[in-house]
Amino acid sequence: MKKYLAASLLALGFSCNSNDNNKESATVQIDQESLAEHIETLASDDFMGRMPFTEGEEKTVNYLRDEFSKLGVSPGNDGSFFQEVPLVEINGTASETMKISGEGEDFELEFFEEFVALTLKPEEQVSLEDSELVFAGYGIVAPEYDWNDYEGVDWEGKTAVVLVNDPGFATGDSTLFKGNEMTYYGRWTYKYEEAARQGAAGVIIIHETEPASYGWNVVQSGWTGPQLNLESDAPVADVQGWVSQGAAEKLFEASSIENKNYNELALSEDFEATPMGINATVSITNEIDRNTSKNVIAVVEGSERKDEFIFYTAHWDHLGIGRPVDGDSIYNGAVDNATGTAALISIAEAFKKGEQPERSIAFIAVTAEEQGLLGSAYYAENPIFSPEKTVAVINIDALQSPGKMKDLTITGYGHSEMDEYAKEAAQRHDRYIIADPEAEKGFFYRSDHFNFAKIGIPALYASGSYEGFDMSAEEVKELNDDYSANKYHQPSDEYDPETTELSGVREDLQLFYEIGLKLANEDYFPKWYEGSEFKAAREDN
């Protein structure tokens, strides 16, 4: 066993004070054949990339409704399978160039190749006109870490230029923030939110592949085309954008800042937000559409404690039809997240085959995850089932195990007793659990369980993704890296029945089913661990 793996193994004792009348017998098995059929259907070109507000949405949500109905699973929202999610769609066209002016020679950055820009303001025309660029380091205000990158600047009319991720990742210092593990301060969503709170007119994130955990191609596909958002009174900057690493270097070379190494500058002990001596001009013309998307909610009712719920969640959406890549413009999202969407149907089928659980089971397929976890955010703000009576959430997103796996990797390990439920289930299948070895990528904040955790519901987000029974950790990593580099958020994320291996995915779903079954047949509520930022929200409920 490799030293790294040995260090990662989690020796946990299972002591949740649960009663012993659980029925987590594995007599009911997840049906791999029907799972494959659902994935193939949902990832087909006929579903047009499952973009909200399109024909692809209608096909997807109606397919889920019909499949749950066939299984005899009940509608979860007062007789309906749907929860309407009001969204505003902004289809923005940015100017072909971003003009940069200052004391030196003016120049332009090229749209798509060097920058992307959009707005979440529902206005026909939004622009920055000679907006002063100010380097704001990591763009973080974190009093608990005595950190404020915005202090000392009147941000009205200015544009903040910030780095992605957070200082702990950049330094490797385990005492700085959470060390190599990304905090929410490192997420691009936080960067945009904080700049708006500070009153900035614009915010530009500098892209670098390692701290972002994805390439510039992902920024290109994700920050162009129609963008969805929840209507909100929260402040929002006029323009939100990214620049490539090469474009950032151009900006700093043209700037009046003496230290052109912006990563080094942001970490200096005396760092203060620094005017760059250059201004940016860019405009965005918008087409605006207000409409409703849908979360899909189905329920297997409990026999005894029917007002207490176990949630299974997955997002049904992907990116729809976009810019062609190698002649293909349909972003099918087979792994991300036809797998998780199909999983909800397969796990519901397993619950219907077995004995009726004592607690109720809710299957929630949420919309607009790819646009910023919007469907789950709307549910969290408008819950159908009482959060204090919701026992736990098991989130399923982008399963791609290349075969049967030895590990069950837990993203967000150390937050709650859901770790212990996972360990017990994994051991029954001769598997071990490990903490996410790529915690610096911030996956805990990048999927829908995060919004449920914020309202106090303990969450499990896991998959077999480290070491296979028939494949080494190095081989698995090579496949995972290939997916991230060449398929994630690209048209090439497609389902091929001849080459796609689902045995490992089925095994993961079997664990998730058995974990939910145990939770459903006991009267215990898993707890957040001391030190988790979500513990207070549960106690407030």
Side-chain angles (χ1 to χ4, degrees), residues 96-320:
E96 288 299 315
T97 61
M98 178 184 290
K99 297 179 181 179
I100 306 298
S101 59
E103 293 184 3
E105 185 176 347
D106 296 352
F107 63 97
E108 296 179 342
L109 300 180
E110 183 182 353
F111 176 74
F112 197 70
E113 297 302 327
E114 295 183 292
F115 83 95
V116 295
L118 54 82
T119 183
L120 296 182
K121 286 195 169 182
E123 301 173 6
E124 291 184 1
Q125 186 82 26
V126 176
S127 64
L128 298 175
E129 297 288 344
D130 285 323
S131 177
E132 181 181 5
L133 299 184
V134 180
F135 181 52
Y138 285 91
I140 293 173
V141 178
E144 69 274 30
Y145 296 115
D146 193 26
W147 195 281
N148 189 337
D149 285 322
Y150 283 96
E151 193 171 16
V153 174
D154 177 359
W155 285 94
E156 184 177 0
K158 298 179 176 64
T159 293
V161 178
V162 301
L163 304 176
V164 73
N165 214 309
D166 57 36
F169 171 79
T171 62
D173 182 349
S174 62
T175 66
L176 191 59
F177 286 65
K178 288 189 177 181
N180 199 47
E181 179 182 349
M182 184 189 284
T183 69
Y184 187 59
Y185 294 118
R187 287 287 290 141
W188 61 265
T189 47
Y190 169 81
K191 311 292 184 180
Y192 290 154
E193 292 163 358
E194 189 58 52
R197 284 191 287 266
Q198 296 295 325
V203 53
I204 296 172
I205 301 173
I206 296 173
H207 174 267
E208 291 181 290
T209 296
E210 188 176 4
S213 81
Y214 41 74
W216 180 247
N217 61 333
V218 174
V219 176
Q220 291 172 316
S221 62
W223 275 265
T224 55
Q227 303 290 316
L228 300 176
N229 199 25
L230 296 169
E231 295 270 23
S232 171
D233 294 329
V236 60
D238 292 334
V239 173
Q240 301 176 347
W242 292 74
V243 291
S244 68
Q245 186 172 352
E249 291 169 358
K250 286 184 182 180
L251 293 177
F252 274 82
E253 282 301 317
S255 78
S256 58
I257 296 176
E258 184 175 345
N259 186 351
K260 307 300 183 183
N261 186 333
Y262 46 79
N263 286 299
E264 181 179 271
L265 178 62
L267 291 168
S268 60
E269 290 186 8
D270 58 350
F271 175 77
E272 295 178 349
T274 307
M276 298 178 68
I278 52 177
N279 301 330
T281 298
V282 66
S283 63
I284 304 170
T285 303
N286 297 316
E287 296 177 3
I288 301 163
D289 181 24
R290 287 178 171 83
N291 209 328
T292 56
S293 186
K294 295 180 178 70
N295 291 334
V296 183
I297 304 174
V299 170
V300 173
E301 189 173 87
S303 61
E304 296 184 19
R305 295 179 295 284
K306 60 182 65 179
D307 62 336
E308 297 177 0
F309 283 85
I310 317 300
F311 284 1
Y312 287 92
T313 59
H315 72 92
W316 59 254
D317 66 302
H318 201 238
L319 302 179

Side-chain angles (χ1 to χ4, degrees), residues 27-69:
T27 55
V28 176
Q29 298 293 313
I30 297 296
D31 187 331
Q32 185 171 318
E33 184 176 342
S34 66
L35 173 68
E37 290 173 359
H38 294 311
I39 295 173
E40 184 171 16
T41 299
L42 290 161
S44 67
D45 284 355
D46 190 47
F47 279 62
M48 301 158 47
R50 304 188 309 279
M51 180 73 179
F53 285 11
T54 68
E55 183 183 348
E57 164 165 7
E58 289 304 306
K59 289 187 174 184
T60 302
V61 298
N62 289 340
Y63 179 82
L64 290 169
R65 176 199 63 196
D66 294 345
E67 292 303 313
F68 283 129
S69 294

